[in-house]
């Protein structure tokens, strides 16, 4: 199976290890990867700011680069949801585009839904706190959000829970937003940092040793606070945990 | 250039103890909502049904308005139509003046807040007392409400004690809620007794029967209109529902969503005036028909003003209703306000981290966070974004459209970051760096490392 | 003031002057919640919202239990619309102005039916000269036939027909507020206590 690897711009530039971990996890499960170097960014920061014309050209580039792949996989809920849910305004009444969106996946949902993986081999004897990144949760529905009434489930929890020795933190607010929100992190810096610190405090109270999420953007923000406040909590993207990276 | 919301929010957050207290208070209401929702296996079906009833009503609003008018008139009520806030205020004044009303008791109505009815009536020599306890507290304090259901949620009991000491003569320093509520009960009873007319809002108006429903926990709406002979009910035109039995859906959702109760203490159904009395119903447009025309924003008219979106919004909880500068704050307010004045309220859709929690609690299935995002695009389209936002984005687009330039800029940028001394890097222009460390700077990007890895493997 | 008709015409035109997305009215035959013991669920829910539920076999037990309610011990002015439960101390029909009801201590009225899911009782002003008495009284007592407890609000609305002028309300518990720092205080502006008697076997 040949998959187009979509690596978010900030992972490409600041967290290359997350990209490499993603490659390893996929290859370990028999996936052949192609990383089209023409890719840059899905355009989410531009669309979220309201600069739709600027985002349009990036969206068109993206689809042109990736539409030939059987699947497109991305270690980010928010970038994946940008393509699947917010690109349609740039491709109105385009059945080819609509079909393409069904082939674009976030990493955890690709493992579970397409590769039918339900266990990850490996040992991770730590107390792990999963931060439920909002786009992955409420846009891609990778888990049941706490607001909804229904059967609880979480694809990320399922994969993490299968690792030997791992224990998962119980939070008082299981899926409150970390406060990153893109440009929000800077435009509303005060609220953003208060939100982030509140999340970290919840994890501390739950005994989290390793904080993880499926969106590096959330973790970049939380890690920034953790390091500034001199705390010991380690931060790892879920791909790094699944790839068996050391803490 | 920070928006008004960002500035006010920063002030709110600066008082960390109070900000956390406010956040906890509202989170608790969200938790109560969750408990109630979980107790009904059919909760999601109820939400879908409510959203569908509203969508249907909006698709035939003209017909339902006419049906309501016909039925209500047959019951003996008098219907008035107001195109905007000024007309609404003029109509209410005219009714009051024709009855020589000097004192009005008013129960909670966000519509009358939207129209700024109180100051208008006061300018014309009519005393208006807001009888909902939370509304009365902020009225005495000279402030607008900070939440549409819990108007004084931003006030601690000591604050209320201060206000009551000043205006009611309660003991100085007294803050026991039971003592303070008892004092309010006595004072407001006098106001009820002296009221010449009662004004209420409308939670739901029923087209089929010509009646309407008013929901309260205190009983203040009922007291206010059952003593005097004149009742004026003010409603936005979107408050209509087709049939009485549709109330079964809405009354099951409203209080559970708003405060985590199975139903408000009183759900009063008014059909026509009381014997020997008069009932006036004022139907208000004030921009609603405009919103109705928009495919993207029409669903915001589903709103039943429950406030659940505010209770769950992590930004609202940490910035307070006053930071929005609108009658209705929070997620729904940030969609309705730009519809009224996109230039003035261009910043509000950005007072949001797009977490989507609001959308998941909305009992009438408004896609709140999507509409907030759509507003951002609309504001961009109308050229209302500041240069401080558009310039970086244009630059980003220019760079990102050229992979070689993107890679080059990334390499250069990282090099500069790793060479710049900390004291320079964390300067006052670096908003990210005020409270957070910047991400560590890797010497090579993923694409460089991957290319090397592939090369080594081959 | 602008002509009333112009505003009406303009508003109706404004709401109609657009492309309409047709949307069907959904079915309300949901398969809604029912309770194995709706009377018990009603009583528990009512208690949860600060009210009290008393089950009595018949009129005689109703009279006895009602007379034992704490507010009855000190009540000077009782408005009873259910004479078989308790005699009133005055005749509501003779009262000309509802303001005269300010000092009513206890009001006793009939409720048509009760709703288990939320502890509410449907009360109308049929036969009540001044509906204000239900709200201005310090204590409210409602008498409901035990056989008239429905499970949910959908069943409630199946029983309600709104023809002609009138007033009705779902009343669930005593008046209350949490507007002062979210502390629940019972007895805001309306009745300080709320008791429902379910009569029958």
């Amino acid at each position: 199976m040949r998959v187009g690897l979509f690596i978010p711009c900030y992972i490409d530039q600041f967290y290359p290890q997350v990209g490499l971990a993603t490659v390893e996890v996929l290859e370990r499960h028999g996936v052949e990867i192609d990383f089209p170097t023409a890719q840059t960014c899905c355009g989410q920061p531009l669309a979220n700011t309201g600069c739709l014309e600027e985002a349009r050209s990036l969206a068109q580039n993206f689809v042109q680069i990736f539409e030939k792949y059987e699947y497109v996989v991305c270690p980010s809920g928010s970038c994946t949801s940008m393509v699947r849910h917010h690109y349609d305004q740039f491709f109105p009444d385009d059945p080819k585009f609509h079909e393409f969106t069904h082939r674009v996946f976030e990493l955890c949902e690709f493992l579970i839904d397409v590769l039918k993986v339900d266990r990850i081999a490996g040992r991770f004897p730590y107390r792990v706190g999963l931060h439920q990144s909002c786009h992955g949760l409420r846009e891609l529905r990778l888990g049941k959000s706490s607001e909804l009434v229904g059967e609880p489930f979480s694809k990320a929890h399922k994969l993490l829970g299968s690792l030997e020795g791992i224990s998962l933190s119980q939070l008082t607010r299981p899926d409150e937003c970390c406060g990153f929100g893109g440009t929000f992190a800077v435009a509303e810096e005060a609220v953003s940092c208060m939100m982030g610190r509140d999340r970290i405090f919840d994890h501390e109270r739950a005994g989290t040793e390793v904080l993880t999420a499926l969106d590096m953007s959330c973790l970049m923000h939380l890690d920034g606070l953790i390091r500034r406040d001199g705390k010991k909590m380690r931060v790892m993207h879920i791909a790094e945990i699944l790839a068996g990276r050391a803490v | 250039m920070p928006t008004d919301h960002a500035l006010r929010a920063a002030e709110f957050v600066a008082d960390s103890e109070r900000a956390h207290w406010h956040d906890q208070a509202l989170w608790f209401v969200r938790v109560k909502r969750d408990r109630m929702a979980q107790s009904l296996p059919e909760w999601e079906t109820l939400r879908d049904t409510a959203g569908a009833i509203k969508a249907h009503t909006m698709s035939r609003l003209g017909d339902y308005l006419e049906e309501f008018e016909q039925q209500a008139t047959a019951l003996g009520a008098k219907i008035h139509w107001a195109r905007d806030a000024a007309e609404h205020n003029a109509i209410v004044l005219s009714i009051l003046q024709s009855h020589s009303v000097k004192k009005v008791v008013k129960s909670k109505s966000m519509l009358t807040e939207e129209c700024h009815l109180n100051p208008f009536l006061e300018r014309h020599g009519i005393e208006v007392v807001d009888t909902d306890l939370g509304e009365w507290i902020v009225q005495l304090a000279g402030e607008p409400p900070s939440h549409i259901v819990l108007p004084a949620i931003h006030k601690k009991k000591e604050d209320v004690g201060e206000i009551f000491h000043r205006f009611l003569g309660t003991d100085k320093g007294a803050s026991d809620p039971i003592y303070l509520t008892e004092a309010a009960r006595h004072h407001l009873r006098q106001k009820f007794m002296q009221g010449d007319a009662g004004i209420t809002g409308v939670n739901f108006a029923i087209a089929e029967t010509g009646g309407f429903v008013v929901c309260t926990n205190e009983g203040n709406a009922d007291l206010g209109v059952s003593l005097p002979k004149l009742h004026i009910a003010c409603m936005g035109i979107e408050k209509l529902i087709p049939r009485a039995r549709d109330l079964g859906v809405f009354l099951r959702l409203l209080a559970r969503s708003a405060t985590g109760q199975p139903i408000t203490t009183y759900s009063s159904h008014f059909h026509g005036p009381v014997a020997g009395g008069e009932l006036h119903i004022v139907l208000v447009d004030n921009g609603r028909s405009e919103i109705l025309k928009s495919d993207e924003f029409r669903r915001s008219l589903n709103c039943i003003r429950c406030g659940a979106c505010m209770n769950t919004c992590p930004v609202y909880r940490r910035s307070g209703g006053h930071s929005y500068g609108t009658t209705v704050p929070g997620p729904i307010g940030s969609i309705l306000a730009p519809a009224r004045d996109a230039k003035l309220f261009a910043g509000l859709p950005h007072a949001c981290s797009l977490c989507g929690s609001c959308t998941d609690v909305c009992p009438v299935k408004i896609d709140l966070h999507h509409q907030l995002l759509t507003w951002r695009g609309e504001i961009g389209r109308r050229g209302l974004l500041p240069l401080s936002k558009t310039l970086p984005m244009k630059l980003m687009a220019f760079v990102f459209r050229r992979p070689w330039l993107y890679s080059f800029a990334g390499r250069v940028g990282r090099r500069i970051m790793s060479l710049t001394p900390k004291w320079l890097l964390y300067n006052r222009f670096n908003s990210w760096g005020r409270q957070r460390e910047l991400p560590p700077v890797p010497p090579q990007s993923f694409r460089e490392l991957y290319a090397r890895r592939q090369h080594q493997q081959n | 003031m602008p002509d009333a008709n112009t505003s009406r015409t303009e508003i109706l035109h404004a709401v109609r002057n657009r492309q309409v997305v047709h949307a069907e009215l959904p079915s309300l035959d949901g398969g809604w919640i029912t309770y194995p013991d709706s009377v018990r669920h009603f009583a528990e829910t009512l208690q949860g919202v600060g009210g009290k539920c008393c089950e009595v076999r018949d009129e005689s037990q109703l009279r006895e239990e009602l007379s034992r309610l704490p507010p009855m011990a000190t009540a000077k002015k009782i408005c009873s619309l259910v004479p078989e439960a308790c005699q009133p101390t005055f005749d509501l029909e003779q009262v000309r102005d509802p303001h005269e009801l300010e000092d009513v201590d206890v009001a006793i009225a009939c409720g048509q039916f009760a709703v288990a899911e939320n502890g509410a009782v449907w009360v109308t002003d049929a036969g009540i000269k001044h509906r204000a008495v239900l709200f201005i009284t310090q204590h409210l007592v409602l008498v409901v036939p035990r056989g008239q407890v429905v499970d949910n609000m959908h069943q409630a609305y199946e029983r309600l027909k709104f023809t002609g002028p009138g007033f009705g309300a779902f009343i669930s518990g005593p008046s209350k507020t949490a507007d002062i720092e979210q502390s629940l205080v019972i007895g805001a502006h309306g009745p300080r206590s709320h008791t429902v008697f379910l009569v029958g076997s």
Side-chain angles (χ1 to χ4, degrees), chain A residues 118-164:
Chain A
D118 54 5
R119 288 190 34 97
I120 300 283
R123 210 172 128 67
F124 202 76
Y126 298 97
R127 175 66 139 238
V128 171
L130 174 66
H131 170 70
Q132 294 274 23
S133 301
C134 299
H135 283 113
L137 185 65
R138 295 189 190 86
E139 291 274 337
L140 301 179
R141 299 293 180 197
L142 301 182
K144 182 189 87 67
S145 61
S146 60
E147 297 87 355
L148 298 180
V149 174
E151 271 307 305
F153 75 97
S154 160
K155 294 183 186 180
H157 261 139
K158 184 172 180 190
L159 292 172
L160 288 170
S162 71
L163 289 165
E164 227 187 289

Side-chain angles (χ1 to χ4, degrees), chain A residues 11-231:
Chain A
I11 290 184
D12 179 37
Q13 294 297 322
F14 289 106
Y15 297 100
Q17 294 306 322
V18 173
L20 288 174
T22 304
V23 168
E24 273 173 50
V25 172
L26 288 170
E27 283 181 348
R28 217 176 275 173
H29 288 93
V31 177
E32 238 185 284
I33 291 170
D34 192 35
F35 175 75
T37 54
Q39 68 181 287
T40 56
C41 169
C42 67
Q44 189 182 193
L46 292 99
N48 282 5
T49 303
C51 300
L52 293 175
E53 279 320 298
E54 286 77 2
R56 179 189 301 275
S57 54
L58 294 184
Q60 283 164 345
N61 279 7
F62 180 95
V63 176
Q64 202 175 35
I65 293 164
F66 280 102
E67 67 185 340
K68 66 178 192 246
Y69 292 100
E70 193 183 348
Y71 293 104
V72 179
V73 181
C74 174
S76 159
S78 68
C79 303
T80 307
S81 112
M82 178 69 199
V83 176
R84 285 228 295 259
H85 294 172
H86 300 292
Y87 265 15
D88 53 335
Q89 62 191 302
F90 306 123
F91 303 91
D93 307 311
D94 186 340
K96 261 183 66 185
F97 166 75
H98 189 71
E99 187 279 323
F100 168 67
T101 62
H102 290 288
R103 294 185 264 132
V104 181
F105 288 86
E106 178 277 334
L107 176 65
C108 293
E109 65 176 351
F110 184 72
L111 287 168
I112 291 184
D113 295 340
V114 180
L115 298 183
K116 309 289 187 213
V117 170
D118 54 5
R119 288 190 34 97
I120 300 283
R123 210 172 128 67
F124 202 76
Y126 298 97
R127 175 66 139 238
V128 171
L130 174 66
H131 170 70
Q132 294 274 23
S133 301
C134 299
H135 283 113
L137 185 65
R138 295 189 190 86
E139 291 274 337
L140 301 179
R141 299 293 180 197
L142 301 182
K144 182 189 87 67
S145 61
S146 60
E147 297 87 355
L148 298 180
V149 174
E151 271 307 305
F153 75 97
S154 160
K155 294 183 186 180
H157 261 139
K158 184 172 180 190
L159 292 172
L160 288 170
S162 71
L163 289 165
E164 227 187 289
I166 201 170
S167 70
L168 296 169
S169 296
Q170 297 287 341
L171 303 168
T172 58
R173 299 189 192 181
D175 50 24
E176 190 182 29
C177 179
C178 69
F180 175 71
T183 51
F184 177 86
V186 167
E188 291 259 0
E189 183 256 346
V191 176
S192 170
C193 292
M194 183 180 168
M195 285 168 72
R197 286 208 168 91
D198 288 348
R199 288 291 78 235
I200 292 163
F201 182 66
D202 200 358
H203 279 274
E204 282 178 318
R205 231 189 345 201
T208 296
E209 297 172 286
V210 180
L211 178 62
T212 191
L214 40 83
D215 254 292
M216 204 58 216
S217 45
C218 306
L219 294 175
M220 177 168 67
H221 163 68
L222 292 169
D223 191 42
L225 289 163
I226 286 169
R227 283 187 294 122
R228 175 62 63 88
D229 294 344
K231 296 190 182 218

Side-chain angles (χ1 to χ4, degrees), chain B residues 27-247:
Chain B
W27 179 257
F28 183 52
V29 187
R30 154 77 207 272
V31 168
K32 286 195 286 185
R33 177 221 88 107
D34 287 358
R35 236 177 262 152
M36 276 289 137
Q38 299 292 338
S39 75
L40 293 181
E42 68 256 46
W43 182 256
E44 299 302 332
T45 307
L46 273 174
R47 291 178 68 214
D48 288 334
T49 309
I53 294 171
K54 281 287 179 178
H56 167 81
T57 308
M58 293 309 145
S59 76
R60 293 187 41 210
L61 190 58
D63 295 342
Y64 283 123
L65 280 168
E66 282 185 321
E67 187 185 358
F68 176 74
E69 177 190 46
Q70 188 180 33
Q71 295 297 114
T73 307
L75 292 171
K78 179 99 179 45
I79 304 292
H80 307 262
W81 300 73
R83 283 166 295 189
D84 55 29
E87 237 188 285
H88 162 270
N89 293 348
I91 289 167
V92 173
L93 179 65
S94 164
I95 298 167
L96 294 174
Q97 282 175 337
S98 68
H99 288 80
S100 311
V101 168
K102 282 283 154 232
K103 292 173 194 254
V104 167
V105 285
K106 182 157 80 75
S107 65
K108 181 126 51 72
S109 160
M110 289 318 296
L111 175 69
T112 63
E113 286 285 340
E114 181 187 312
C115 297
H116 304 293
L117 178 68
N118 286 18
F120 177 81
L121 292 180
E122 276 152 17
R123 277 201 298 277
H124 286 87
I126 296 177
E127 177 196 86
V128 187
V129 176
D130 269 308
T131 60
D132 171 280
L133 182 57
E135 288 280 340
W136 193 44
I137 290 169
V138 296
Q139 186 181 34
L140 291 174
E143 293 173 26
S146 73
H147 186 290
I148 62 176
V149 171
L150 317 163
I153 189 75
H154 61 292
K155 294 248 176 270
K156 292 197 167 193
K157 53 187 193 282
E158 290 78 13
D159 303 329
V160 180
E162 272 267 336
I163 294 166
F164 279 12
H165 170 67
R166 196 151 35 114
F167 290 97
L168 312 185
T170 49
D171 298 341
K172 183 152 181 69
S175 66
D176 175 37
I178 296 176
Y179 168 74
L180 294 172
T181 305
E182 187 69 24
R185 182 191 175 93
H186 285 285
H187 265 90
L188 284 170
R189 278 235 155 182
Q190 292 317 301
K191 298 296 181 186
F192 286 124
M193 293 297 287
Q194 291 159 16
D196 303 317
I199 297 180
T200 68
V202 166
N203 288 90
F204 307 100
I206 315 155
E208 172 193 58
T209 67
F212 60 90
V213 180
V214 181
C215 303
T216 69
N217 277 321
E218 298 169 36
N220 56 309
D222 299 289
L223 262 179
V225 303
S226 61
L227 290 170
K229 289 285 193 196
L230 176 59
H231 177 178
I232 304 175
C234 307
M235 61 175 270
I237 53 178
E238 86 285 17
K239 289 306 187 75
L240 230 43
I241 57 174
R243 310 159 300 189
R245 64 184 187 284
D246 297 322
L247 288 167

Side-chain angles (χ1 to χ4, degrees), chain B residues 284-340:
Chain B
V284 183
D285 181 348
N286 204 27
R288 288 154 173 81
S289 55
E290 270 309 298
I291 297 175
L292 194 58
K293 294 194 175 88
S294 156
D295 287 332
E296 294 91 6
F297 304 116
R298 177 177 311 123
R299 280 173 312 282
S300 67
L301 294 177
N302 289 9
C303 181
I304 58 175
R305 302 290 193 266
C306 73
C309 60
M310 285 159 223
N311 303 338
T312 200
C313 177
V315 177
Y316 174 91
R317 279 187 267 111
R318 294 174 178 82
S319 57
H322 289 158
S323 63
Y324 293 77
T326 53
T327 303
V328 178
I332 186 65
S334 303
I335 294 168
L336 296 173
R340 198 169 301 293

Side-chain angles (χ1 to χ4, degrees), chain B residues 18-29:
Chain B
R18 194 172 261 256
H20 277 102
W21 163 80
H22 185 264
D23 167 68
Q24 260 305 122
L26 283 154
W27 179 257
F28 183 52
V29 187

Side-chain angles (χ1 to χ4, degrees), chain C residues 95-145:
Chain C
V95 174
R96 261 195 293 204
D97 182 345
H99 292 81
E100 297 170 43
L101 301 168
E102 196 193 355
D103 52 353
V104 170
D105 296 304
V106 179
I108 304 152
C110 281
Q112 278 177 25
F113 61 87
V115 186
E117 77 162 292
N118 51 30
V121 172
W122 177 254
V123 185
T124 70
D125 68 347
I128 301 182
K129 183 158 183 211
H130 301 290
R131 63 175 79 143
V133 75
L134 299 170
F135 307 101
I136 204 168
T137 180
Q138 299 295 325
H139 304 277
L140 182 65
V141 175
L142 297 175
V143 180
V144 180

